[in-house]
Amino acid sequence: YQQMRARTQSARMDRYNTLIKVTGQSAWATYQWEFAGVVDGKKAAFRGHTTLVFEKLNGKWLIVLNHTSTVDEAAPAAR
């Protein structure tokens, strides 16, 4: 993430359709997102989905799984 961020300027990421579920020491969150910015000096725009799985260890929530995928630009966004 740090290497990608170093290559990115003027970035904006909007998240929507967020759903969070907590059960005991585990939790998950899923959402859609839209990114726009400049990457390696070129304008870039992406849409996608992310699912995060968390585990509470020693009183802190830690991400134990991150699945992120982009969506084909030809497909309409569901909001």
Side-chain angles (χ1 to χ4, degrees):
Y1 290 125
Q2 290 174 341
Q3 291 173 349
M4 178 61 122
R5 186 174 183 128
R7 299 170 37 215
T8 305
Q9 293 82 38
S10 302
R12 177 182 174 122
M13 183 175 288
D14 295 312
R15 184 185 77 221
Y16 52 94
N17 292 333
T18 302
L19 179 62
I20 299 170
K21 176 73 174 174
V22 179
T23 305
Q25 300 295 101
S26 300
W28 58 268
T30 187
Y31 55 89
Q32 283 82 48
W33 51 266
E34 294 178 357
F35 168 87
V38 177
V39 180
D40 296 332
K42 298 178 185 173
K43 286 185 179 181
F46 305 98
R47 292 185 307 118
H49 304 276
T50 295
T51 299
L52 301 171
V53 177
F54 300 86
E55 188 173 326
K56 194 169 189 180
L57 297 171
N58 299 320
K60 294 183 180 181
W61 287 102
L62 301 175
I63 297 171
V64 295
L65 180 127
N66 175 354
H67 177 264
T68 298
S69 58
T70 58
V71 174
D72 181 0
E73 287 298 316
R79 287 193 175 211

